[in-house]
Amino acid sequence: MTNQVIVLGSINVDTTYRVEHFPQPGETISANDKQIAPGGKGANQAVAAARSGAHTAFIGAVGNDDDGRAMLKQLQKNYIDTQHVIIDNDHATGSALVTVEESGQNDILVYGGANQALTTTMVGSVDELLEQADFLVAQFETPQEVTVDLFRQAKAHGVITILNPAPAHSLDPALFSYTDLIIPNETEAEKLTGITVTDHSSMQATATWFRQHGIPNMMITLGKHGVFYSLFDQSGTVPAFRVKAVDTTAAGDTFVGALVAELKPDVTNIAQAITYAQQASSLAVQKHGAMPSIPYRSMIEAINS
């Protein structure tokens, strides 16, 4: 059965510079390469879900500019339903400046543009879309009040809501009531809970904190250390696949998108879905760029063939 996925999120055009090392304050360095590519956490996650076979619809905004038109074409090229992407005449399409050093680590500077100008009024009713959906995914690159409103609507339709709280900042208290599953990394988890993630007990404590505040299920992505999960009465750690990373820009987005494409709506295949998403992420970090690095299902399944 094909999962029906809605992604609420950002659409950006990424400009990536590759450098030997990150510049220090006041330092000028030379870039070894420059690349312009489609990105944005929301768009990346939607493409990852679509490339893993999910029927995917997108809710977001672009500017009435060349970047916006190009990004809409890119989403449509990946068979993503863009009927609910708003054309904003007052704000430019979002953009990101990414610096990647030789180790594969990255620094990212984001301009929100039309993403941050999105409002609940602009989105309007999406009842018809929610009636068909299994999962609704959101991040923090669009206003949280829009996420709250859509998560509230989703719960009324029995849709599983998933929050990837990235980039890290404080959480609108209303989201605690409407989020079924939260997927932070270690930094984001600490930002939200105040608990430093160092070992299994601190991860369990983080899961307990979220449960006590209303979010029953959690995963923490741990980079090269894998993924810890505590959800639907199950918990454990799924190890990462050891590969040589050249660019980690879309690793987390690829994981989330692949996960919602693979996870059954009755969540009976948690460990299997996490493993699949880890495989997808391991392929993404071996290529440069955000969206261009996201693998297709056939590539992921080939790992086990």
Side-chain angles (χ1 to χ4, degrees):
M1 185 174 117
T2 300
N3 283 353
Q4 307 290 312
V5 174
I6 304 170
V7 177
L8 162 67
S10 56
I11 300 174
N12 292 333
V13 174
D14 294 346
T15 301
T16 302
Y17 291 93
R18 309 195 188 287
V19 297
E20 290 183 3
H21 63 85
F22 293 136
Q24 298 300 309
E27 180 184 15
T28 299
I29 63 174
S30 296
N32 300 322
D33 187 35
K34 175 186 176 183
Q35 182 183 38
I36 298 175
K41 296 193 71 62
N44 291 338
Q45 290 176 14
V47 167
R51 289 183 182 177
S52 277
H55 183 277
T56 308
F58 199 90
I59 300 173
V62 295
N64 187 7
D65 49 34
D66 289 342
D67 282 347
R69 286 182 280 276
M71 287 302 301
L72 280 176
K73 287 181 180 178
Q74 188 64 227
L75 293 175
Q76 292 159 2
K77 181 181 176 182
N78 282 277
Y79 303 102
I80 294 168
D81 178 353
T82 61
Q83 292 183 70
H84 295 276
V85 177
I86 309 301
I87 308 298
D88 187 335
N89 291 315
D90 299 318
H91 301 86
T93 298
S95 60
L97 178 62
V98 185
T99 307
V100 182
E101 66 174 10
E102 287 185 344
S103 69
Q105 291 300 309
N106 62 66
D107 272 349
I108 305 175
L109 179 66
V110 176
Y111 163 69
N115 298 312
Q116 284 297 321
L118 190 66
T119 66
T120 56
T121 302
M122 292 164 70
V123 173
S125 174
V126 291
D127 281 342
E128 187 175 342
L129 201 58
L130 288 168
E131 283 174 5
Q132 306 299 320
D134 297 307
F135 300 99
L136 170 60
V137 183
Q139 325 77 35
F140 276 173
E141 289 186 340
T142 50
Q144 287 193 46
E145 56 265 29
V146 179
T147 306
V148 169
D149 185 63
L150 283 173
F151 273 25
R152 177 186 56 77
Q153 293 182 55
K155 295 308 299 170
H157 287 273
V159 178
I160 295 173
T161 54
I162 299 177
L163 180 65
N164 174 218
H169 53 74
S170 58
L171 191 68
D172 185 323
L175 276 174
F176 287 108
S177 302
Y178 300 121
T179 300
D180 292 315
L181 168 61
I182 190 166
I183 310 179
N185 62 22
E186 308 104 309
T187 302
E188 293 151 1
E190 181 176 358
K191 176 77 173 180
L192 292 171
T193 68
I195 300 169
T196 302
V197 176
T198 56
D199 54 18
H200 186 77
S201 62
S202 61
M203 289 184 269
Q204 290 282 18
T206 302
T208 299
W209 189 95
F210 280 120
R211 279 197 300 273
Q212 291 174 341
H213 285 77
I215 301 178
N217 307 295
M218 181 204 72
M219 295 181 191
I220 302 179
T221 55
L222 304 166
K224 65 181 181 181
H225 300 296
V227 175
F228 172 81
Y229 65 94
S230 176
L231 63 161
F232 304 103
D233 300 320
Q234 301 182 51
S235 66
T237 301
V238 178
F241 292 82
R242 298 198 176 278
V243 297
K244 180 175 174 53
V246 298
D247 186 351
T248 60
T249 304
D253 297 336
T254 299
F255 174 85
V256 172
L259 178 78
V260 293
E262 185 68 11
L263 185 63
K264 293 179 179 179
D266 63 6
V267 298
T268 55
N269 66 332
I270 294 168
Q272 174 190 326
I274 293 174
T275 298
Y276 174 86
Q278 285 279 76
Q279 290 172 323
S281 185
S282 73
L283 289 173
V285 300
Q286 294 180 69
K287 292 184 177 180
H288 290 296
M291 199 176 291
S293 72
I294 297 171
Y296 292 84
R297 175 171 287 276
S298 59
M299 299 164 65
I300 301 164
E301 292 178 340
I303 293 177
N304 298 315
S305 63

